[in-house]
Amino acid sequence: MPEGHEDRSAGGRADRRPAGELEASVLAALWAAGGPLTPMAVQQALGTDLARTTVTTILTRLHAKGAVIRTHAGRGYAYAPAQDPPGLTARRMHAELDKDPDRGTALVRFVAGLGPQDKELLRTQLAEGHEGGPTYGGGTTSRT
């Protein structure tokens, strides 16, 4: 391949970010903010060359997935995380379990794959009744 050329044989753009990287960056910016942000404020917090429309698209997708909530702010929306990072991880785990018709077996195999420290942590947390935790966002959610 000639020097200075990118291999685009996989069909993607050479400058394309890995799937999920932008969503993770946007969520990190929202968690760091401590309050709802407009798409423009998220764009500024990211400090990247992303277009505001790209940031808005990411926020809209995160809202559709239930990862963020939004409230009216002027003519648009301000966004906040629906949960803290551990809550989002738990939500994703539930979503994967919900996809499997044999939820019990999937859950047993997940736990079986945990290391000894994680198994002990899980036992302790369940024994102490730690089944939930804080969520983020507050306020009125909008599903529109």
Side-chain angles (χ1 to χ4, degrees):
M1 180 175 309
E3 187 176 326
H5 286 78
E6 302 280 341
D7 180 8
R8 297 181 186 190
S9 58
R13 293 180 7 207
D15 61 344
R16 192 164 187 104
R17 292 172 178 88
E21 182 180 307
L22 287 176
E23 288 184 358
S25 296
V26 166
L27 281 168
L30 291 172
W31 283 317
L37 295 178
T38 63
M40 183 181 295
V42 171
Q43 177 191 28
Q44 292 170 345
L46 292 173
T48 65
D49 59 351
L50 288 177
R52 184 189 50 77
T53 54
T54 301
V55 173
T56 301
T57 298
I58 295 164
L59 288 164
T60 301
R61 289 179 181 166
L62 287 169
H63 179 258
K65 293 177 181 181
V68 299
I69 59 170
R70 66 185 183 191
T71 55
H72 283 283
R75 293 177 17 171
Y77 293 101
Y79 296 83
Q83 298 177 313
D84 60 359
L88 182 59
T89 300
R91 180 187 200 107
R92 289 175 177 158
M93 292 167 70
H94 279 286
E96 289 302 314
L97 284 171
D98 289 346
K99 292 177 189 176
D100 197 306
D102 190 357
R103 182 185 183 98
T105 300
L107 187 56
V108 166
R109 289 185 183 170
F110 171 77
V111 173
L114 294 175
Q117 290 178 326
D118 286 336
K119 285 181 182 176
E120 185 57 35
L121 177 62
L122 183 58
R123 279 188 203 98
T124 301
Q125 295 294 311
L126 291 173
E128 293 177 2
H130 295 278
E131 297 178 14
T135 59
Y136 276 37
T140 305
T141 60
S142 169
R143 296 280 175 201
T144 59

